[in-house]
Amino acid sequence: MTEKMHIKLKVNGEDKEFLAEPRELLIYALREKLNITGPHVGCETSHCGACTVTLNGKSVKSCTMFVAQANGAEITTIEGIGTPDALHVLQESFREHHGLQCGFCTPGMIMRATKLLEENPTPTEEEVRFGMAGNICRCTGYQNIVKSILAAASELNAAKEAAQ
Amino acid sequence: MIPAAFDYYRPKKMDDVIALLEQHGDDARVMAGGHSLIPMMKLRMAEVPHLIDLQDIEGLSDISVEGGKITLGAMVTQHDLINHAGLTAAAPILREAALQIADPQVRYMGTVGGNVANGDPGNDMPGLMQCLDAQINLVGPNGTRSVAAREYYEAAYMTDREDDEVLVSISFDTPSGGFAYEKQKRKIGDYATAAAAVQIVKDGGKVAAASIAMTNLSDVPVWSEGACDALVGTSCDAAAMKAAAAAMLGDIDPSEDNRGPVAFKRHVAGVILTRAITRAWDRA
Ligand SMILES: Cc1cc2nc3c(=O)[nH]c(=O)nc-3n(C[C@H](O)[C@H](O)[C@H](O)COP(=O)(O)OP(=O)(O)OC[C@H]3O[C@@H](n4cnc5c(N)ncnc54)[C@H](O)[C@@H]3O)c2cc1C
Ligand code: FES
Ligand code: FES
């Protein structure tokens, strides 16, 4: 076993420090060291997107990153975007439009969608499907996920216009 | 899926990377985005006792489009390629190809250098770089050298790069004419069953120059000189395209795997190349 490293992360605005072997995958550091269990392990092979988090402004699959590689990074997970009393627009929209059934894929879906709407605030349906292509859902058939994201986009844009 | 243990290094200077590579030889490897290497390490198909992360090395993420020449730093990601307006204007085939690689999350991490250095026949950038006649720029203990992409690949996962060399950038002349990157895959995020990169220059209704490279149809990417020659001087009609496809089929050597038997791959290769030539010619 190699020596443990001193890891520092900023997760959902909070500074975290812990020891970990460099080979530990970021998803396990989040879930098991920090008890941040929103990001899920679906496939563990970079295919399903259930483990998606935002890291230094990028959507990444946290099962395909060593914790050592993430050292020093700023990370946002599903826990960091809303609270049960004040849901994020996308969380509210997924609830409203039945964008989830079992909910296993949802944390990854919503984290990827937050970034997608930053990259492209007015996506077409096709652009939503293409931009969400790294996230797999075994329940919904995607229709309501796409609907939820498009509805959240309209809502965010309406709010932006109202503010101007 | 827990990879074997390793020592982790994140140097700030290229000299330190090279010193580590010299010191540890075969036991050390550099990591760029990690999106080919980490899956292999998780499967324990790659064991890397000394892992050197390149993320803190400065100057490897630059894109330069200047004076008819394009240079891409090794750490430029597929996401960067897609979103660089100047690059897309100068060499639109890069964006077209990058959008067909993996998915948004992978494209945020996967780098051009990693894709070109990896040597996996399924990677899309090596064929593309052969089509563009790119130079691969390496640095090692004895300084820098350049190798033509068309000479770089020796066998699956075997390239001209020495163990103690690092790929720093890829450069090529700004391409002209029409272009197409056409890829057949089973689903988004899949490697190619067959892919074709095509650039065509049109002059007076005839093909003045053509460059054609194929992906995942041999253990290395295949730049098909015969297919190029079959198009030059013609009006890119059906007969010329047929001749180009026939020449290309003489140059590839696909093997059977979970994407299908050899006959199927040869069939798909012909279809994909014909589509790519048609599209490149329309845009020329
Ligand atoms: C789900 C999924 C789907 C994918 N689909 C595709 C696809 O359709 N097409 C495709 O082309 N790719 C695909 N990829 C691979 C992806 O594009 C990789 O990111 C890319 O091939 C390698 O880039 P990297 O920066 O991640 O390299 P790494 O994984 O970090 O490195 C790959 C190899 O190259 C070496 N290396 C890296 N950088 C350098 C350097 N500068 N100098 C010397 N050696 C270096 C490493 O030592 C390693 O051996 C996919 C990956 C995943 C996870
Ligand atoms: S668990 Fe990371 S992509 Fe599936
Ligand atoms: S809601 Fe069950 S996997 Fe998506």
Side-chain angles (χ1 to χ4, degrees):
Chain A
M1 198 171 93
T2 44
E3 250 177 76
K4 290 196 171 175
M5 272 178 78
H6 186 186
I7 304 284
K8 288 190 191 184
L9 301 174
K10 187 169 224 162
V11 188
N12 300 325
E14 279 179 43
D15 290 316
K16 307 277 184 189
E17 292 189 33
F18 54 94
L19 292 174
E21 276 192 74
R23 64 171 163 171
E24 191 167 312
L25 298 169
L26 177 60
I27 182 78
Y28 290 115
L30 292 172
R31 293 178 57 86
E32 290 169 10
K33 293 244 153 58
L34 303 178
N35 207 23
I36 294 171
T37 54
H40 287 163
V41 184
C43 64
E44 224 186 338
T45 59
S46 336
H47 288 93
C48 76
C51 62
T52 301
V53 301
T54 306
L55 180 139
N56 294 339
K58 305 170 172 191
S59 295
V60 304
K61 293 176 174 173
S62 58
C63 73
T64 312
M65 178 170 281
F66 293 125
V67 70
Q69 212 182 343
N71 195 11
E74 266 189 48
I75 296 171
T76 310
T77 70
I78 188 78
E79 285 90 344
I81 65 165
T83 63
D85 302 328
L87 292 178
H88 183 275
V89 180
L90 273 159
Q91 291 173 313
E92 185 59 45
S93 188
F94 269 64
R95 198 182 67 88
E96 184 66 27
H97 297 280
H98 302 283
L100 64 148
Q101 288 178 21
C102 79
F104 193 84
C105 68
T106 316
M109 286 283 175
I110 291 186
M111 288 317 295
R112 172 59 200 140
T114 57
K115 197 62 213 161
L116 168 66
L117 294 185
E118 263 175 62
E119 294 160 4
N120 179 0
T122 53
T124 61
E125 175 179 341
E126 202 186 330
E127 286 165 347
V128 169
R129 288 183 185 274
F130 192 72
M132 297 298 295
N135 294 72
I136 292 174
C137 175
R138 290 284 89 133
C139 302
T140 63
Y142 302 100
Q143 200 62 31
N144 286 349
I145 292 176
V146 174
K147 208 197 237 177
S148 305
I149 296 170
L150 287 170
S154 313
E155 201 160 314
L156 285 167
N157 291 326
K160 229 185 285 170
E161 260 172 47
Q164 276 167 5
Chain B
M1 292 174 112
I2 304 169
F6 53 82
D7 286 332
Y8 175 83
Y9 309 84
R10 201 197 278 189
K12 295 202 157 51
K13 293 204 165 60
M14 188 57 90
D15 288 350
D16 297 334
V17 177
I18 291 164
L20 283 164
L21 288 172
E22 280 192 281
Q23 187 185 342
H24 298 292
D26 253 9
D27 280 349
R29 277 234 223 156
V30 298
M31 176 173 69
H35 273 52
S36 289
L37 189 55
I38 295 173
M40 298 279 278
M41 289 172 73
K42 288 206 276 190
L43 294 168
R44 303 217 178 192
M45 285 162 70
E47 198 168 326
V48 184
H50 299 276
L51 185 70
I52 311 165
D53 188 338
L54 296 179
Q55 66 171 298
D56 282 353
I57 307 287
E58 271 194 32
L60 291 183
S61 297
D62 298 340
I63 296 178
S64 137
V65 183
E66 229 181 276
K69 199 146 192 87
I70 296 175
T71 303
L72 307 173
M75 294 293 278
V76 168
T77 63
Q78 288 142 17
H79 179 87
D80 298 335
L81 283 186
I82 292 167
N83 291 289
H84 193 287
L87 185 64
T88 298
I93 194 170
L94 290 172
R95 182 172 196 270
E96 183 159 295
L99 281 168
Q100 296 179 64
I101 293 179
D103 59 50
Q105 287 95 318
V106 176
R107 293 194 292 263
Y108 263 118
M109 292 304 297
T111 66
V112 181
N115 202 295
V116 167
N118 195 29
D120 183 331
N123 282 138
D124 288 285
M125 293 283 164
L128 178 61
M129 294 309 164
Q130 291 194 341
C131 172
L132 294 168
D133 199 11
Q135 290 289 316
I136 294 171
N137 306 311
L138 305 164
V139 62
N142 305 319
T144 59
R145 69 182 179 105
S146 298
V147 190
R150 291 177 190 169
E151 311 282 320
Y152 188 70
Y153 296 93
E154 293 166 354
Y157 298 102
M158 306 263 290
T159 67
D160 188 61
R161 189 178 60 81
E162 299 292 338
D163 283 343
D164 55 6
E165 288 182 313
V166 180
L167 194 161
V168 283
S169 65
I170 295 153
S171 46
F172 47 91
D173 292 340
T174 303
S176 48
F179 68 94
Y181 195 81
E182 191 79 39
K183 175 174 172 180
Q184 170 66 40
K185 54 190 178 200
R186 295 169 301 179
K187 58 178 259 299
I188 276 203
D190 190 21
Y191 290 90
T193 303
V198 176
Q199 289 276 161
I200 296 180
V201 180
K202 189 196 258 180
D203 189 21
K206 299 260 189 257
V207 176
S211 184
I212 292 173
M214 308 298 294
T215 289
N216 220 8
L217 294 160
S218 286
D219 66 347
V220 291
V222 173
W223 181 69
S224 176
E225 195 167 7
C228 306
D229 291 347
L231 291 184
V232 173
T234 72
S235 54
C236 217
D237 50 20
M241 283 196 245
K242 214 169 160 189
M248 175 278 292
L249 289 172
D251 287 341
I252 62 169
D253 183 19
S255 41
E256 173 163 352
D257 60 17
N258 55 6
R259 291 187 181 82
V262 171
F264 174 70
K265 290 192 175 182
R266 294 179 65 81
H267 172 73
V268 175
V271 172
I272 287 298
L273 179 57
T274 307
R275 281 186 197 163
I277 294 173
T278 307
R279 213 141 48 85
W281 179 245
D282 279 351
R283 288 162 161 176

